[in-house]
Amino acid sequence: MAIATAIPTVPRGPVSAKLNFSVPPPPGVVAFNYTSTPPAGEPQRNIDTVPQEASITDIRGHESEYTLDRDAFQIIRGVPPSKEETSGSDFRDDASITANYYPEVEKLLLEHIPGANRVFIFDHTIRRADPDAPRKAVQFAHIDQTPFSSEKRVRRHMGEEADELLKGRYRIVNVWRTLNKNPVETMPLAFASSSSVEPKDIIPVEHRYPDGYVGETAAIAYNPTQKWHYLSGMTGDERLLLECFDSEGVKEGSGVAGGRVPHSAFEDPRSRPDAEGRESIEVRTLVFGP
């Protein structure tokens, strides 16, 4: 059960750390990334990253000051233990996660996103600290979806209902939590307030899947006006909502500041060399309404 115990060595407070940003490709070149082994002769991705020192603010103690409509991220605290923990499955089996954790995520979003009336969960990713783990923490600034791929996701998953659902408000929200038994000490997640991100910072990247499906993510170019944050020592009873897209965010005068949250894991220079590696699960969802 991932409930916190006190560890005095958890890095706290503001930090200056390197984040990896992307360089836009030459004009006329489509940026791409393969999610698995690329075809012969193709690189995994054709977009370069460059490290940049960034100031990252710790929002611990100020969690309630940040909202989805302004920042595209939100912290939820005091979440009861998941059935995945109490049943002993402990997030090791995909079928068990779908049966136990997905309904909890759906309930959480319906309770904490005002006006939300429907949630569809389309996948999840487990990230482990084991060097041989298939998925590890992603260390470059990115957004999981773009307006193009968000509409495409609705059409892919909602079938005949898609046209009607697309007339209303729709969002893609990731629900992130740590799987560590103790507060996170290493490789925390940084996230930039949507209101501080300019359109020119966003680089569309084709996301190419083995089954032929082509989505679109966004790489992020560095801009000193971006405001980066993290939540120090995240625990298993906390959830981080990361809003990748909000249809209201592309409407003039809606009051929604972009609805897109760049994020990246980063190496905290204050972490102990022998600290426990960070592990996590993120669940990706379509949220409809109002």
Side-chain angles (χ1 to χ4, degrees):
M1 186 167 70
I3 299 300
T5 58
I7 295 184
T9 55
V10 173
R12 304 280 188 188
V15 62
S16 180
K18 284 186 171 58
L19 297 178
N20 291 310
F21 294 91
S22 295
V23 178
V29 175
V30 174
F32 65 80
N33 172 69
Y34 286 97
T35 64
S36 61
T37 304
E42 291 259 24
Q44 192 76 44
R45 60 200 313 264
N46 70 338
I47 189 166
D48 294 327
T49 57
V50 291
Q52 177 70 46
E53 201 77 16
S55 296
I56 308 173
T57 299
D58 185 3
I59 65 171
R60 178 66 67 187
H62 300 273
E63 296 90 339
S64 63
E65 298 175 15
Y66 299 89
T67 67
L68 290 182
D69 281 356
R70 186 188 65 226
D71 305 294
F73 67 83
Q74 180 179 328
I75 306 297
I76 300 171
R77 304 184 66 197
V79 180
S82 170
K83 288 182 181 178
E84 270 298 287
E85 296 161 296
T86 58
S87 69
S89 299
D90 209 22
F91 297 95
R92 295 285 175 182
D93 177 75
D94 284 344
S96 179
I97 291 169
T98 301
N100 291 327
Y101 190 52
Y102 277 21
E104 297 168 355
V105 168
E106 180 180 357
K107 182 173 182 288
L108 184 87
L109 293 174
L110 291 173
E111 288 178 350
H112 288 275
I113 298 181
N117 54 43
R118 186 173 181 180
V119 173
F120 180 86
I121 298 173
F122 58 89
D123 70 19
H124 69 270
T125 298
I126 302 277
R127 302 190 191 278
R128 300 287 184 187
D130 186 332
D132 297 324
R135 304 293 290 271
K136 303 178 183 64
V138 176
Q139 295 185 67
F140 61 88
H142 66 285
I143 305 172
D144 287 15
Q145 309 285 340
T146 65
F148 167 79
S149 61
S150 297
E151 178 179 340
K152 195 171 182 179
R153 278 284 177 191
V154 174
R155 294 194 181 282
R156 183 184 192 191
H157 298 298
M158 306 312 294
E160 294 180 355
E161 297 179 87
D163 283 339
E164 193 62 31
L165 290 168
L166 288 168
K167 294 177 183 177
R169 187 176 189 176
Y170 63 99
R171 320 181 210 196
I172 292 187
V173 179
N174 294 356
V175 180
W176 192 99
R177 63 158 290 177
T178 176
L179 298 180
N180 295 78
K181 308 304 181 188
N182 295 309
V184 171
E185 282 193 73
T186 64
M187 207 63 72
L189 195 67
F191 31 92
S193 172
S194 180
S195 61
S196 72
V197 179
E198 298 182 26
K200 67 179 183 180
D201 303 342
I202 297 172
I203 307 166
V205 180
E206 282 192 357
H207 210 50
R208 301 174 179 177
Y209 291 83
D211 62 1
Y213 181 79
V214 178
E216 191 174 72
T217 62
I220 304 299
Y222 175 70
N223 187 328
T225 65
Q226 295 165 1
K227 297 188 186 319
W228 287 88
H229 309 78
Y230 82 112
L231 180 63
S232 64
M234 279 195 73
T235 57
D237 64 347
E238 296 175 319
R239 303 290 182 271
L240 169 61
L241 306 188
L242 298 167
E243 189 172 67
C244 301
F245 175 77
D246 183 344
S247 60
E248 290 295 297
V250 297
K251 296 177 182 177
E252 197 73 35
S254 70
V256 175
R260 58 200 180 198
V261 61
H263 53 284
S264 173
F266 70 96
E267 293 186 12
D268 191 322
R270 304 165 298 177
S271 296
R272 295 180 297 120
D274 59 346
E276 178 185 24
R278 187 261 278 175
E279 301 193 337
S280 64
I281 179 172
E282 60 215 64
V283 176
R284 301 180 184 88
T285 74
L286 293 168
V287 180
F288 299 98

